[in-house]
């Protein structure tokens, strides 16, 4: 038998003894014993883990209870608390704790620029100093505990530095993905009301140059027209993309980062935070047009992200870890910044894109830094698959030990290519299921713990109690399919939606009383493995980015020649799901390619390029019931060309619309 770390066994892949011999969790029996304790005694379980971190003041405990929760809307307001009364700081635990333990010279960040050969690195001591300088600047600008700071930056080391500096002084960071449009950025600024925005002159992504400061200027102008003014725009001069002299400037508001931040002291006092004090806001799309400001607090999030990172990746102190995610999304928060740093890991940060300058770039980086844990999205995997095996095989990749997948369910063929070609059939794959709202992994393999099945997230993490329920909200046991819910609280879960607790309850706790509703469909097989089947609400998962259909529809209807729009998802070979838009034009307006491009551009302008529709389908009308409700079920079938599965259309106000839409499908 070849000495692979994983060997194929029937439809599952068994982890080889050589990997299991050093794994943190080396058998399903070991996992089962720990899991049993985590659900039977969650307070004792999480208290033991939390005690490994530094707490200025220990949390309150009553009869051994360290959490309180009501997840049932029938019993009053939904409220969750963990480690209440405990005083800590996530920046201190991510940096100072390691420096004080003698790890100051260990590399915290390897930074790889957009272009090969452009790189940098920071030790834990150097990272701490840079964080302290920025935190001192922020304090000097009047930023204090509880204040919001908006961050609109690309993947420079200054982005996680900004997050950590906010956390150090108790400010609430709100990172906005630097791919959102000015309008989308302005919505998020108006919601959290920061007095300071951190940004960059620009960024190069592959061969493209994006002038981020111009987008911020437009957003701040939008915000000003709504009656809110941002006092300071701290801008990092990224001269490789856009030089200072080419950057628009507003005197009195705009400040160059390099002109002020390096002048501040390299030591900064820590603001000790209650475990339930807010750490950050992160906006995610919902089924309405308004983004949801997901709010995470300090203590539970810290303990949960650190623990999930450690076990889901089988992390050891000598690992080099690379997560390809952007900090504009939750993966960049939990598994590029906080989770790895809390474990004292060495982390690769990549500014560029996976296929620039060619499809071998990822594996070149893996070899350069001797990456042992590699975590990316199925979209990236499918895109790289299209270039064939040669760009992978021309690089060694011998350092790889564990692979990971994030953002959406990975299709089995992509899983097998990832495993066979990228991992040389020796690296277990952690196919993780979780959400912005959950803070950390919920269902995931633990490498070394049990056999893997391509496409399955396998088993729940410690303390996570999944439930599959039917349409009536009744939990189903054994092998089944239904709606994925969680029936008990966990430390990393969000506490509310910024300024809208009612929406928090309505979205996540009202659909199935007594449960947290994930919004995802799921099936459980005979071995107890979980298989995610995608969103069941009006949210499309495009390349791992959740995009609300209402948001896209609103952007389309903003076009002066669009009368109505309905958006659905469809299977996309690279993105997983694509955006399919049915558009009804104003009377007398003719279809044209120029108009099609103009509609797509409207979405790019309102939301961002990543939300642009893949397909515009001209629609003389939309299939509606007599009460005016759009029958999206029919639109999904037309988009998928499943024309023999349309079902009963007799209840439509005008059934003839369906034939018209079918006739116009490919025009």
């Amino acid at each position: 038998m070849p000495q692979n770390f994983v060997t194929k066994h029937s439809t599952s892949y068994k982890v080889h003894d050589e990997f299991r011999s050093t794994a943190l969790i080396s058998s399903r029996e070991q996992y089962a014993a720990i899991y049993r304790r985590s659900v039977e005694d969650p307070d004792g379980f999480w208290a033991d883990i939390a005690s490994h971190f530094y707490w200025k003041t220990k949390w309150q405990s009553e009869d051994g209870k360290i959490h309180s929760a009501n997840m049932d809307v029938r019993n009053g307001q939904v409220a969750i608390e963990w480690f209440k009364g405990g005083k800590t700081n996530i920046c201190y635990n991510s940096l100072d704790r390691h420096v004080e333990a003698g790890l100051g010279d260990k590399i915290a960040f390897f930074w790889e620029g957009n272009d090969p050969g452009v790189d940098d690195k920071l030790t834990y001591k150097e990272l701490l100093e840079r964080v302290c300088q920025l935190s001192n600047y922020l304090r000097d600008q009047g930023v204090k505990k509880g204040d919001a700071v908006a961050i609109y930056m690309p993947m420079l080391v200054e982005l996680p530095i900004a997050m950590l500096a906010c956390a150090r002084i108790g400010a609430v960071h709100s990172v906005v993905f630097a791919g959102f449009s000015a309008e989308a950025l302005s919505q998020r600024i108006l919601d959290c009301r920061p007095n300071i925005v951190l940004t960059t002159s620009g960024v190069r992504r592959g061969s493209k140059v994006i002038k981020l400061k111009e987008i911020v200027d437009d957003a701040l102008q939008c915000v000003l027209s709504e009656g809110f003014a941002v006092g300071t725009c701290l801008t990092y001069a990224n001269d490789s993309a856009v030089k200072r002299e080419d950057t628009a400037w507003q005197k009195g508001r705009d400040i160059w980062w390099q002109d002020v931040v390096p002048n501040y002291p390299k030591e900064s006092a820590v603001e000790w935070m209650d475990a339930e004090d807010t750490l950050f806001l992160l906006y995610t799309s919902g089924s309405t047009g308004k983004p949801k400001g997901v709010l995470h607090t300090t203590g539970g999030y810290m303990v949960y992200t650190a623990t999930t990172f450690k076990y889901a990746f089988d992390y050891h102190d000598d690992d080099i870890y690379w997560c390809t995610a952007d900090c504009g999304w939750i993966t960049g928060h939990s598994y590029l910044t906080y989770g790895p740093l809390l474990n004292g890991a060495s982390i690769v940060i990549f500014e560029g894109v996976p296929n620039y300058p060619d499809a071998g770039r990822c594996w070149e980086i893996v070899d350069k830094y001797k990456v042992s844990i590699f975590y990316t999205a199925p979209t990236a995997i499918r895109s790289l698959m299209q270039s064939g095996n040669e760009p992978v095989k021309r690089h060694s990749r011998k350092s790889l030990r564990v692979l990971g997948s994030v953002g959406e369910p990975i299709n089995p063929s992509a899983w097998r290519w990832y495993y066979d070609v990228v991992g040389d059939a020796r690296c277990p794959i952690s196919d993780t299921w979780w959400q912005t709202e959950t803070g950390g992994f919920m269902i995931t393999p633990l490498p070394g713990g049990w056999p893997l099945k391509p496409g399955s997230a396998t088993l729940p993490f410690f303390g996570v109690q999944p439930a599959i329920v039917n349409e009536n909200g009744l939990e189903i046991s054994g092998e089944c399919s239904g709606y994925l819910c969680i029936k008990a609280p966990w430390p990393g879960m969000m506490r509310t939606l910024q300024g809208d607790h009612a929406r928090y309850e309505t979205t996540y706790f009202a659909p199935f009383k007594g449960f947290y509703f994930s919004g995802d469909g799921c099936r459980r097989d005979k071995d107890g493995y979980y298989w995610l089947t995608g969103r069941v609400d009006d949210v499309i998962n495009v390349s791992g980015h959740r995009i609300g259909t209402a948001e896209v529809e609103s952007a389309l209807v903003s076009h002066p020649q669009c009368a109505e729009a309905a958006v659905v998802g469809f299977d996309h070979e690279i993105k997983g799901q694509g955006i399919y838009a049915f558009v009804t034009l104003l009377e007398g307006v003719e279809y044209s390619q120029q108009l099609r491009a103009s509609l797509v551009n409207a979405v790019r302008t309102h939301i961002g390029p990543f939300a642009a529709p893949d397909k515009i389908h001209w629609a003389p009308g939309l299939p509606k019931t007599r009460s005016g409700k759009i029958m999206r079920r029919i639109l999904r079938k037309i988009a998928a060309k499943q024309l023999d599965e349309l079902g009963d259309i007799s209840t439509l106000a005008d059934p003839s619309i369906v034939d018209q839409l079918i006739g116009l499908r490919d025009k």
Side-chain angles (χ1 to χ4, degrees):
M1 181 185 292
Q3 289 301 298
N4 292 339
F5 289 117
V6 185
T7 52
K8 187 173 180 184
H9 176 69
S10 185
T11 56
S12 64
Y13 290 66
K14 186 179 178 184
V15 182
H16 195 270
D17 289 346
E18 190 175 344
F19 186 96
R20 291 172 58 214
S21 67
T22 61
L24 298 174
I25 302 297
S26 58
S27 70
R28 190 158 176 179
E29 291 72 27
Q30 181 192 7
Y31 158 79
I34 299 172
Y35 179 78
R36 191 178 308 112
R37 190 208 168 193
S38 75
V39 297
E40 291 177 355
D41 178 22
D43 297 279
F45 177 81
W46 289 112
D48 286 350
I49 291 175
S51 66
H52 293 288
F53 298 92
Y54 179 80
W55 297 80
K56 187 74 172 175
T57 305
K58 195 173 180 183
W59 52 85
Q60 298 163 0
S61 175
E62 189 173 328
D63 297 327
K65 294 284 186 186
I66 63 163
H67 87 284
S68 63
N70 172 42
M71 288 173 48
D72 194 329
V73 292
R74 296 168 296 191
N75 297 333
Q77 182 168 288
V78 172
I80 294 99
E81 292 181 335
W82 286 84
F83 310 110
K84 181 74 174 172
K87 302 285 187 185
T88 189
N89 184 284
I90 198 169
C91 176
Y92 182 91
N93 276 286
S94 296
L95 302 179
D96 306 61
R97 185 168 57 102
H98 302 312
V99 173
E100 291 166 10
L103 296 175
D105 293 332
K106 183 176 182 178
I107 299 297
F109 289 140
F110 293 101
W111 179 76
E112 177 75 9
N114 180 72
D115 295 310
V118 179
D119 55 33
D120 199 1
K121 59 187 176 183
L122 284 177
T123 64
Y124 270 87
K125 181 176 183 292
E126 291 167 335
L127 177 58
L128 175 58
E129 290 173 348
R130 298 268 291 272
V131 167
C132 285
Q133 287 179 313
L134 181 58
S135 69
N136 284 322
Y137 169 79
L138 292 173
R139 274 197 175 113
D140 204 30
Q141 295 302 302
V143 178
K144 59 188 183 301
K145 178 180 176 180
D147 289 349
V149 174
I151 304 171
Y152 185 79
M153 300 183 76
M155 290 307 293
L156 306 175
V157 291
E158 283 70 23
L159 175 46
I161 284 172
M163 295 164 63
L164 290 157
C166 290
R168 188 170 193 84
I169 65 174
V172 177
H173 60 71
S174 176
V175 182
V176 180
F177 172 56
F180 273 111
S181 68
E183 185 170 325
L185 173 60
S186 69
Q187 286 179 336
R188 288 152 175 80
I189 290 173
L190 281 170
D191 195 68
C192 69
R193 304 258 159 173
N195 190 46
I196 185 167
V197 173
L198 311 186
T199 190
T200 310
S201 56
V203 65
R204 287 185 62 211
R205 289 202 182 103
S207 57
K208 288 175 60 178
V209 173
I210 302 165
K211 295 184 175 182
L212 296 179
K213 174 62 163 54
E214 287 188 5
I215 296 171
V216 172
D217 288 344
D218 290 345
L220 295 186
Q221 190 58 46
C222 288
V223 166
L224 192 59
S225 69
E226 294 289 335
F228 179 73
V230 171
T232 303
C233 179
L234 182 68
T235 305
Y236 186 85
N238 189 16
D239 289 337
S240 66
V242 180
K243 296 187 182 301
R244 287 192 184 207
E245 56 266 30
D246 298 326
T247 305
W249 209 246
Q250 184 174 310
K251 199 171 179 181
R253 183 198 70 187
D254 298 345
I255 306 289
W256 286 115
W257 182 306
Q258 289 95 325
D259 288 354
V260 293
V261 175
N263 301 326
Y264 280 82
K266 294 180 178 179
E267 294 182 355
S268 169
V270 173
E271 184 74 38
W272 298 107
M273 308 290 286
D274 187 275
E276 285 301 325
D277 283 338
T278 304
L279 174 62
F280 67 84
L281 293 172
L282 187 58
Y283 289 85
T284 184
S285 287
S287 55
T288 71
K290 185 185 176 188
K292 298 177 294 190
V294 171
L295 187 150
H296 281 286
T297 54
T298 301
Y301 175 85
M302 177 181 77
V303 172
Y304 196 72
T305 52
T307 308
T308 48
F309 172 83
K310 176 180 177 179
Y311 287 100
F313 294 122
D314 190 53
Y315 173 73
H316 292 70
D317 289 340
D318 57 350
D319 278 315
I320 305 295
Y321 170 77
W322 180 18
C323 169
T324 66
D326 190 291
C327 287
W329 309 106
I330 188 63
T331 304
H333 283 56
S334 298
Y335 299 114
L336 188 144
T337 305
Y338 291 119
L341 290 175
L342 288 164
N343 282 279
S346 294
I347 305 149
V348 175
I349 298 178
F350 179 38
E351 180 189 24
V353 293
N355 56 0
Y356 178 83
D358 60 52
R361 184 69 187 281
C362 283
W363 325 121
E364 176 189 318
I365 294 170
V366 165
D367 285 355
K368 177 177 179 177
Y369 297 107
K370 302 293 184 284
V371 171
S372 53
I373 304 171
F374 178 68
Y375 190 40
T376 195
T379 300
I381 297 165
R382 288 189 293 265
S383 177
L384 294 168
M385 271 177 72
Q386 285 206 323
S387 299
N389 298 355
E390 190 278 330
V392 184
K393 294 296 187 180
R394 69 169 179 257
H395 299 280
S396 164
R397 296 158 290 107
K398 286 183 179 175
S399 59
L400 287 175
R401 195 174 68 80
V402 176
L403 300 174
S405 172
V406 60
E408 60 182 297
I410 183 170
N411 52 302
S413 62
W415 192 102
R416 291 188 180 95
W417 184 85
Y418 195 28
Y419 162 72
D420 286 327
V421 180
V422 175
D424 285 331
R426 59 182 177 79
C427 301
I429 298 174
S430 284
D431 177 8
T432 60
W433 175 78
W434 60 300
Q435 302 173 311
T436 303
E437 295 89 342
T438 71
F441 303 146
M442 300 295 282
I443 303 176
T444 176
L446 302 184
W450 49 80
L452 307 172
K453 296 184 182 183
S456 172
T458 71
L459 302 175
F461 191 74
F462 303 133
V464 175
Q465 298 184 52
I468 296 179
V469 304
N470 63 18
E471 290 187 352
N472 298 318
L474 299 176
E475 185 175 356
I476 319 167
S477 60
E479 195 174 350
C480 61
S481 294
Y483 301 93
L484 180 59
C485 296
I486 310 295
K487 57 184 175 182
W490 62 98
M493 70 189 299
M494 67 170 174
R495 301 303 195 252
T496 190
L497 293 176
Q498 169 73 358
D500 201 345
H501 196 75
R503 187 181 182 191
Y504 168 71
E505 294 184 339
T506 301
T507 304
Y508 302 102
F509 300 95
F512 300 106
K513 308 297 188 292
F515 297 99
Y516 165 86
F517 175 45
S518 69
D520 281 331
C522 185
R523 70 179 175 88
R524 184 170 48 222
D525 69 17
K526 59 183 175 58
D527 297 318
Y529 284 33
Y530 290 82
W531 301 74
L532 277 297
T533 55
R535 303 294 300 177
V536 297
D537 56 13
D538 292 328
V539 174
I540 304 171
N541 193 326
V542 179
S543 299
H545 308 326
R546 285 171 54 186
I547 301 169
T549 57
E551 231 177 332
V552 182
E553 289 165 1
S554 176
L556 288 166
V557 173
S558 72
H559 191 284
Q561 293 175 302
C562 178
E564 194 172 24
V567 168
V568 297
F570 73 106
D571 289 340
H572 191 286
E573 187 179 354
I574 302 299
K575 299 177 183 179
Q577 273 193 302
I579 297 175
Y580 196 110
F582 292 83
V583 173
T584 302
L585 301 176
L586 293 175
E587 194 170 341
V589 176
E590 297 290 327
Y591 307 144
S592 70
Q593 286 302 115
Q594 185 180 359
L595 180 52
R596 192 189 301 268
S598 181
L599 286 161
V600 170
N601 193 54
V603 179
R604 295 172 69 93
T605 301
H606 280 74
I607 306 173
F610 63 94
D614 299 278
K615 173 79 174 174
I616 299 285
H617 185 133
W618 303 122
L622 295 171
K624 297 178 182 178
T625 63
R626 290 174 179 83
S627 63
K629 181 182 177 183
I630 297 172
M631 294 291 282
R632 294 173 190 276
R633 167 182 61 80
I634 293 172
L635 296 179
R636 290 190 190 98
K637 296 299 183 185
I638 293 172
K641 285 191 175 178
Q642 296 171 340
L643 305 181
D644 56 345
E645 299 177 23
L646 293 175
D648 182 17
I649 62 171
S650 63
T651 57
L652 296 178
D654 181 5
S656 69
I657 285 291
V658 175
D659 285 335
Q660 293 179 56
L661 290 175
I662 292 170
L664 288 165
R665 191 191 180 285
D666 297 314
K667 294 185 179 178

